[in-house]
Amino acid sequence: MTQDELKQAVARAAIDYVVEGEIIGVGTGSTANFFIDELAKIKDRIKGTVASSEATASRLRGHGIPVFDLNDVESMAVYIDGADEINAQGAMIKGGGAALTREKIVASVAKKFVCIADGSKLVETLGAFALPVEVIPMARASVMRQLAALGGQPKLRLKAGTDQPFITDNGGELIDVAGLKITDPVALEENINQIVGVIAVGLFAKAGADVCLLGTADGVKILSL
Ligand code: 5RP
């Protein structure tokens, strides 16, 4: 099976976690896109969605699925999203698709986080994937120095094909921190959250996934975390 077929399989399996008549939190990225396409098939059975990025909102609307402003939603039964890495405890690195801040916000309002990922995303130790950190642009250099002091190699994410910074949906910039061997994800998330100028860090450890649907050659494995 190709990686896309594995992503499609977990996206299909995630439909079992959609609660009828409810608002569903929807993530960002290629796996989340497959999920949106599956959700479209049962769109009449949900009240609507909250999107974790402009790209996701536009794909949902393209399918005729209602998208609510999070400020108008008090609670959500479930948030469904991919990950760049996940460990056996449900801690994740996210933000490869640049939506980490909104993903964290939407997930924080949902009762359950269902992670959907192809098997390659399951790791023993987080950190081989460079950790994304969203920053206020004027704090970029200062935050990069502090991330380097934590032992990482920070690099500003650039807009593809340019030498200009990539700008997020929130007007922030992204620093990708390579070379971290994250043995205590909760502590690192807390440390980075405390750096002035950081909007959010793509470590989802204090509040990680509750369930992970992992696409493997032997079928979709369910990890209850
Ligand atoms: C976006 C994310 C994505 O969930 C993560 O990058 C995984 O993406 P994909 O499903 O394309 O592999 O965190 O900000």
Side-chain angles (χ1 to χ4, degrees), residues 29-56:
S30 56
T31 319
N33 281 345
F34 284 125
F35 171 68
I36 293 168
D37 298 345
E38 293 298 322
L39 191 62
K41 298 175 188 166
I42 58 149
K43 65 181 177 188
D44 296 334
R45 286 159 42 194
I46 60 166
K47 188 167 170 198
T49 57
V50 173
S52 59
S53 64
E54 297 300 334
T56 286

Short mmCIF file of all heavy atoms in Angstrom, two decimals, residues 29-56:
data_model
loop_
_atom_site.label_atom_id
_atom_site.label_comp_id
_atom_site.label_asym_id
_atom_site.label_seq_id
_atom_site.Cartn_x
_atom_site.Cartn_y
_atom_site.Cartn_z
N GLY A 29 -3.89 19.17 6.74
CA GLY A 29 -2.83 18.34 6.16
C GLY A 29 -3.43 17.32 5.20
O GLY A 29 -4.65 17.27 5.00
N SER A 30 -2.56 16.48 4.65
CA SER A 30 -3.03 15.55 3.62
C SER A 30 -3.94 14.47 4.21
O SER A 30 -4.93 14.07 3.59
CB SER A 30 -1.85 14.93 2.88
OG SER A 30 -0.99 14.30 3.79
N THR A 31 -3.63 13.99 5.42
CA THR A 31 -4.48 12.97 6.03
C THR A 31 -5.83 13.57 6.40
O THR A 31 -6.89 12.97 6.18
CB THR A 31 -3.80 12.35 7.27
OG1 THR A 31 -2.40 12.16 7.00
CG2 THR A 31 -4.41 11.02 7.65
N ALA A 32 -5.79 14.78 6.96
CA ALA A 32 -7.04 15.48 7.30
C ALA A 32 -7.86 15.74 6.03
O ALA A 32 -9.10 15.64 6.05
CB ALA A 32 -6.74 16.79 8.02
N ASN A 33 -7.19 16.01 4.93
CA ASN A 33 -7.93 16.23 3.66
C ASN A 33 -8.69 14.96 3.24
O ASN A 33 -9.83 15.04 2.79
CB ASN A 33 -6.97 16.65 2.55
CG ASN A 33 -6.61 18.12 2.65
OD1 ASN A 33 -7.27 18.89 3.37
ND2 ASN A 33 -5.56 18.53 1.95
N PHE A 34 -8.02 13.80 3.39
CA PHE A 34 -8.74 12.55 3.07
C PHE A 34 -9.94 12.39 4.00
O PHE A 34 -11.01 11.94 3.59
CB PHE A 34 -7.81 11.33 3.23
CG PHE A 34 -6.81 11.17 2.10
CD1 PHE A 34 -5.45 11.09 2.34
CD2 PHE A 34 -7.25 11.05 0.79
CE1 PHE A 34 -4.53 10.93 1.31
CE2 PHE A 34 -6.34 10.88 -0.26
CZ PHE A 34 -4.98 10.82 0.01
N PHE A 35 -9.76 12.78 5.28
CA PHE A 35 -10.86 12.68 6.23
C PHE A 35 -12.02 13.60 5.81
O PHE A 35 -13.19 13.20 5.87
CB PHE A 35 -10.38 13.02 7.65
CG PHE A 35 -11.50 13.14 8.63
CD1 PHE A 35 -12.26 12.03 9.00
CD2 PHE A 35 -11.84 14.38 9.17
CE1 PHE A 35 -13.33 12.15 9.89
CE2 PHE A 35 -12.91 14.51 10.05
CZ PHE A 35 -13.65 13.39 10.42
N ILE A 36 -11.70 14.80 5.39
CA ILE A 36 -12.75 15.75 4.96
C ILE A 36 -13.56 15.13 3.81
O ILE A 36 -14.79 15.22 3.77
CB ILE A 36 -12.12 17.10 4.55
CG1 ILE A 36 -11.50 17.78 5.78
CG2 ILE A 36 -13.16 18.01 3.88
CD1 ILE A 36 -10.61 18.98 5.46
N ASP A 37 -12.84 14.49 2.89
CA ASP A 37 -13.53 13.88 1.74
C ASP A 37 -14.47 12.75 2.20
O ASP A 37 -15.55 12.55 1.63
CB ASP A 37 -12.52 13.36 0.72
CG ASP A 37 -11.66 14.49 0.15
OD1 ASP A 37 -12.02 15.67 0.33
OD2 ASP A 37 -10.60 14.19 -0.45
N GLU A 38 -14.07 12.03 3.24
CA GLU A 38 -14.94 10.97 3.80
C GLU A 38 -16.12 11.60 4.55
O GLU A 38 -17.25 11.13 4.45
CB GLU A 38 -14.15 10.06 4.75
CG GLU A 38 -13.08 9.22 4.08
CD GLU A 38 -13.65 8.25 3.05
OE1 GLU A 38 -14.74 7.69 3.28
OE2 GLU A 38 -13.01 8.06 1.99
N LEU A 39 -15.82 12.68 5.29
CA LEU A 39 -16.86 13.35 6.08
C LEU A 39 -17.96 13.90 5.16
O LEU A 39 -19.14 13.90 5.53
CB LEU A 39 -16.20 14.49 6.88
CG LEU A 39 -17.02 15.16 7.97
CD1 LEU A 39 -17.41 14.14 9.07
CD2 LEU A 39 -16.24 16.32 8.60
N ALA A 40 -17.55 14.31 3.97
CA ALA A 40 -18.52 14.87 3.02
C ALA A 40 -19.62 13.85 2.70
O ALA A 40 -20.77 14.22 2.46
CB ALA A 40 -17.80 15.28 1.75
N LYS A 41 -19.26 12.56 2.75
CA LYS A 41 -20.24 11.52 2.40
C LYS A 41 -21.32 11.40 3.47
O LYS A 41 -22.39 10.84 3.20
CB LYS A 41 -19.53 10.17 2.23
CG LYS A 41 -18.50 10.18 1.10
CD LYS A 41 -17.74 8.85 1.05
CE LYS A 41 -16.58 8.92 0.07
NZ LYS A 41 -15.63 7.80 0.22
N ILE A 42 -21.04 11.87 4.70
CA ILE A 42 -22.05 11.76 5.77
C ILE A 42 -22.40 13.15 6.33
O ILE A 42 -22.79 13.29 7.48
CB ILE A 42 -21.56 10.83 6.91
CG1 ILE A 42 -20.24 11.34 7.51
CG2 ILE A 42 -21.42 9.39 6.44
CD1 ILE A 42 -20.11 10.98 8.98
N LYS A 43 -22.21 14.15 5.49
CA LYS A 43 -22.35 15.53 6.01
C LYS A 43 -23.74 15.84 6.56
O LYS A 43 -23.87 16.70 7.42
CB LYS A 43 -21.95 16.55 4.93
CG LYS A 43 -22.85 16.57 3.73
CD LYS A 43 -22.35 17.59 2.72
CE LYS A 43 -23.21 17.55 1.48
NZ LYS A 43 -22.68 18.38 0.40
N ASP A 44 -24.75 15.11 6.09
CA ASP A 44 -26.11 15.38 6.58
C ASP A 44 -26.32 14.84 7.99
O ASP A 44 -27.33 15.13 8.61
CB ASP A 44 -27.15 14.76 5.63
CG ASP A 44 -27.07 15.42 4.26
OD1 ASP A 44 -26.62 16.58 4.19
OD2 ASP A 44 -27.40 14.75 3.26
N ARG A 45 -25.34 14.05 8.47
CA ARG A 45 -25.50 13.46 9.81
C ARG A 45 -24.76 14.24 10.89
O ARG A 45 -24.76 13.85 12.05
CB ARG A 45 -25.04 12.00 9.78
CG ARG A 45 -26.10 11.16 9.06
CD ARG A 45 -25.62 9.84 8.51
NE ARG A 45 -24.75 9.08 9.36
CZ ARG A 45 -24.03 8.04 8.93
NH1 ARG A 45 -24.11 7.65 7.66
NH2 ARG A 45 -23.25 7.38 9.75
N ILE A 46 -24.09 15.34 10.52
CA ILE A 46 -23.42 16.17 11.55
C ILE A 46 -23.99 17.58 11.50
O ILE A 46 -24.58 18.00 10.49
CB ILE A 46 -21.88 16.21 11.35
CG1 ILE A 46 -21.51 16.79 9.98
CG2 ILE A 46 -21.27 14.84 11.57
CD1 ILE A 46 -20.06 17.18 9.85
N LYS A 47 -23.78 18.31 12.61
CA LYS A 47 -24.27 19.69 12.66
C LYS A 47 -23.33 20.60 11.86
O LYS A 47 -23.75 21.55 11.22
CB LYS A 47 -24.33 20.13 14.12
CG LYS A 47 -24.99 21.45 14.34
CD LYS A 47 -25.28 21.63 15.82
CE LYS A 47 -25.72 23.05 16.09
NZ LYS A 47 -25.62 23.40 17.50
N GLY A 48 -22.05 20.29 11.91
CA GLY A 48 -21.07 21.10 11.19
C GLY A 48 -19.68 20.84 11.74
O GLY A 48 -19.45 19.81 12.40
N THR A 49 -18.78 21.78 11.47
CA THR A 49 -17.38 21.58 11.83
C THR A 49 -16.77 22.89 12.35
O THR A 49 -17.32 23.97 12.14
CB THR A 49 -16.56 21.17 10.58
OG1 THR A 49 -16.73 22.19 9.59
CG2 THR A 49 -17.00 19.84 10.03
N VAL A 50 -15.61 22.74 13.00
CA VAL A 50 -14.73 23.89 13.25
C VAL A 50 -13.42 23.53 12.57
O VAL A 50 -12.90 22.41 12.73
CB VAL A 50 -14.52 24.14 14.75
CG1 VAL A 50 -13.47 25.23 14.96
CG2 VAL A 50 -15.82 24.55 15.42
N ALA A 51 -12.88 24.45 11.79
CA ALA A 51 -11.67 24.16 11.00
C ALA A 51 -10.43 24.68 11.71
O ALA A 51 -10.46 25.72 12.37
CB ALA A 51 -11.79 24.82 9.63
N SER A 52 -9.30 23.97 11.51
CA SER A 52 -8.05 24.37 12.16
C SER A 52 -7.16 25.20 11.23
O SER A 52 -6.01 25.49 11.59
CB SER A 52 -7.29 23.11 12.61
OG SER A 52 -7.03 22.31 11.47
N SER A 53 -7.65 25.55 10.06
CA SER A 53 -6.88 26.40 9.15
C SER A 53 -7.81 26.94 8.06
O SER A 53 -8.91 26.41 7.86
CB SER A 53 -5.75 25.61 8.46
OG SER A 53 -6.31 24.59 7.65
N GLU A 54 -7.33 27.96 7.37
CA GLU A 54 -8.10 28.50 6.23
C GLU A 54 -8.21 27.44 5.14
O GLU A 54 -9.25 27.32 4.48
CB GLU A 54 -7.42 29.77 5.68
CG GLU A 54 -7.34 30.93 6.67
CD GLU A 54 -8.70 31.41 7.16
OE1 GLU A 54 -9.70 31.25 6.43
OE2 GLU A 54 -8.77 31.94 8.29
N ALA A 55 -7.14 26.67 4.93
CA ALA A 55 -7.17 25.64 3.87
C ALA A 55 -8.24 24.59 4.16
O ALA A 55 -9.00 24.19 3.28
CB ALA A 55 -5.80 24.98 3.75
N THR A 56 -8.30 24.17 5.43
CA THR A 56 -9.31 23.17 5.82
C THR A 56 -10.71 23.76 5.70
O THR A 56 -11.63 23.09 5.18
CB THR A 56 -9.01 22.67 7.25
OG1 THR A 56 -7.88 21.80 7.17
CG2 THR A 56 -10.18 21.93 7.87
#
